[in-house]
Amino acid sequence: MDDEWKEYRVHETTHHNEQEAQQQKQKQQQQQDDNHDDDDDDDDVLDRDIVFKMFQTKDDDDIVTEEYKFPQFDHVIALRGTSEITNSTGLALWRGAEVLASFLANHPNMIRDKCILELGAGQGLCGLVAHHLGACKVVITDGDTNVLNNLRENANLNTTHETCNNQKVACPQLIWGRDLTDFLNIHNGGDKFQVLLATDVNYMASSLHPFWKTASEALEPDHGILLYANVSASQCSMDTILSFAKEYGFEWETPTLEVYIFRLTATQ
């Protein structure tokens, strides 16, 4: 059913202030008024007020493949991406992904037979580890078009019909705070997910509200968990991140090996 999910070309740069954002919005509106014949193309491009571009496009010459091996399963995960983090590129593997992937490998019961959603996945390491640990469904998402293309290549490299009960990994676009009901209907039969995965995703302050809104609406409220690693440097302190988590109805345990386990409070 993935072909029913509308994806957007995310390519705008982050606006620096509200005046610039408003000017750009007016310019876009004028262009739409002057080009009625291009309406179909315009529908595929998100407004700057809805989403911001966090990543740079990288040349193919910068792409490398790294291998990751875990003793808990035989498959060697090969990830295509860049070797360095440049301007917050989602094509690089952030340290938080390695931390959470190791945590998952050492706690497979948190993953096995569960429906998993990874948010802001980048190269997709954690979701792929969850797949090989026996998750019943894995949906690995990102918002950026270039990152998604690379993510899908990584999923194809690391999933086969012979692994994990013939379960393949889905890699749809998910833009935080947008169209989540439709997303859940199409990609999980309308159900919320039992486990969410996220690593180093709140490195920009502007991501806090949309991320935690999405997490609160995508997580199964009674027994669901959000496994969250925040390791790399960012604009946001962990205290700030936790304050937003609390605002959106989450409670958490003292982190184990830098991994926080969040749950929705009983009132949610």
Side-chain angles (χ1 to χ4, degrees), residues 10-14 51-57 85-91 94 120 142-145 147 174 176 200-208 210:
V10 180
H11 65 278
E12 298 288 357
T13 55
T14 307
V51 68
F52 48 88
K53 168 91 169 170
M54 294 188 291
F55 313 107
Q56 278 192 325
T57 302
I85 298 173
T86 304
N87 287 346
S88 304
T89 174
L91 294 175
W94 290 50
D142 209 284
D144 182 270
T145 307
V147 176
L174 177 58
W176 299 338
D200 294 327
V201 292
N202 289 141
Y203 58 92
M204 297 178 70
S206 52
S207 72
L208 287 165

Side-chain angles (χ1 to χ4, degrees), residues 100-111:
L100 182 56
S102 179
F103 178 89
L104 297 178
N106 288 313
H107 299 83
N109 289 338
M110 289 186 170
I111 296 299

Side-chain angles (χ1 to χ4, degrees), residues 42-53:
D42 290 338
D43 286 342
D44 292 333
V45 182
L46 283 183
D47 189 284
R48 290 167 71 95
D49 292 337
I50 297 173
V51 68
F52 48 88
K53 168 91 169 170

Side-chain angles (χ1 to χ4, degrees), residues 2 26 30 62 68 77 94 106 109 136 154 171 182 236 245:
D2 287 0
Q26 292 172 351
Q30 183 62 47
D62 295 325
Y68 299 86
I77 294 179
W94 290 50
N106 288 313
N109 289 338
C136 68
N154 284 338
C171 301
D182 289 343
C236 309

Side-chain angles (χ1 to χ4, degrees), residues 53-69:
K53 168 91 169 170
M54 294 188 291
F55 313 107
Q56 278 192 325
T57 302
K58 301 292 289 185
D59 296 332
D60 286 343
D61 291 343
D62 295 325
I63 298 297
V64 298
T65 299
E66 301 283 352
E67 294 185 344
Y68 299 86
K69 188 171 184 179

Side-chain angles (χ1 to χ4, degrees), residues 100-225:
L100 182 56
S102 179
F103 178 89
L104 297 178
N106 288 313
H107 299 83
N109 289 338
M110 289 186 170
I111 296 299
R112 190 174 294 120
D113 299 324
K114 301 291 198 308
C115 292
I116 312 295
L117 173 65
E118 184 173 8
L119 301 170
Q123 290 187 13
L125 176 62
C126 295
L128 292 169
V129 168
H131 171 72
H132 288 283
L133 289 173
C136 68
K137 172 181 280 190
V138 178
V139 180
I140 307 178
T141 66
D142 209 284
D144 182 270
T145 307
N146 297 320
V147 176
L148 274 173
N149 291 337
N150 186 68
L151 178 59
R152 287 162 179 159
E153 290 196 38
N154 284 338
N156 289 332
L157 280 173
N158 293 282
T159 58
T160 69
H161 288 297
E162 287 73 39
T163 62
C164 304
N165 301 318
N166 289 337
Q167 292 294 321
K168 299 292 282 184
V169 172
C171 301
Q173 183 185 57
L174 177 58
I175 296 170
W176 299 338
R178 182 177 175 87
D179 300 330
L180 189 60
T181 298
D182 289 343
F183 179 90
L184 293 175
N185 286 337
I186 291 170
H187 297 293
N188 204 34
D191 294 330
K192 299 191 177 187
F193 286 85
Q194 295 165 295
V195 181
L196 306 186
L197 308 176
T199 64
D200 294 327
V201 292
N202 289 141
Y203 58 92
M204 297 178 70
S206 52
S207 72
L208 287 165
H209 273 300
F211 171 81
W212 287 103
K213 181 178 188 296
T214 297
S216 68
E217 295 177 2
L219 184 63
E220 199 279 321
D222 295 326
H223 304 289
I225 58 173

